[in-house]
Amino acid sequence: MGSGSQIHYKQNRLKQLRAFCHAARTGSVSAAAEKIFLSQPTVSLQIQALEREFSTVLFERRGPKIKLTPEGDLLFQMAEPLVEGMDKLHEAFATQCGRVDRGVLNVAAGESTILYILPDPVRAFVDQYPGIELKMHNVTGRDGLAMLRADEVDLAVGSMMDVPDDITYRPFVTYQPTLITPMDHPLAGRESVTLEEIAPYGLILPPRHLSTWRMVDLVFKQHSLAYRVTLEAGGWEVIKKYVELGLGISIVTDVCLTGDENLSRIPLSQYFPKRSYGIVQRRGKFLSPQTKCFIKTLDRAFADRIVEPQPQTVGDVEEWEDAFLG
């Protein structure tokens, strides 16, 4: 094989590996073809060429869906960083030269995270890197994780109670469970309260299917106490407003408390778990220069906050998806 043929062959190998990696991520040849703007037969031929080269079968084919064989999974783990590294080579080179001045960064987060945690870091990031287009995706936990797995976002920021095997989670800040009451409430101004003292008063809680309600229910049941929910409201801002109006009391995570509210706050860490918020990524994901800069900005913004380990709970998928939402 001449030198020209070798160069052509190596160029083809990158295309083949790129097609293979997209097919592995999506579980579909047609979806991979759409992602990299090729025809479905072309992607199939590129994957077949790899299988011939490595003398192995990379996918089990079951109708329209495909699944990696053990050999295919091994090649995917080896090839994915190479393909992503080549695709991001220009941006990585610019970064090493000190020029992270363009590109796009996609970040997924739940509403609470966007409202209470990200404003200052986002402002600092935009000020430092005005040429980078930052796209914030306000999504639920289920959609955020789906976007991570499909590489539609570079990272997510949120709270996770249980971390799936294909996801990494690094917390950078911890918040406390807190009882909030109107300023004229009988419990207002107390340094501490017991569950028995809280139980007689009507609670305002987020919707029943979210993790906050389930946590409150679990803790009261563990202490053999009955409780009353007088109002169900979506969003911490709504709950704070209704507590201010005297319609009930609530148990919140103090991430939502700015100090400007007309509310009395009493810590409840002796009963309820603290909640960490952190960086959520697909395991093995190549970190673009823009992603690294955003992570550094987050770490700087919360450098003075102590991150306490959050107990991992064994729960179903819904549990950690709901936690991510908040």
Side-chain angles (χ1 to χ4, degrees), residues 65 69 126 158 171 188 219 232 263 272 275:
K65 300 300 287 183
T69 62
V126 169
V219 170
E232 186 177 319
L263 294 168
F272 296 92
R275 174 164 287 188

Side-chain angles (χ1 to χ4, degrees), residues 237-258:
E237 290 302 311
V238 177
I239 288 173
K240 289 191 298 183
K241 177 58 68 177
Y242 284 178
V243 172
E244 282 182 338
L245 293 172
L247 299 178
I249 63 177
S250 188
I251 297 166
V252 303
T253 304
D254 70 352
V255 63
C256 71
L257 301 175
T258 64

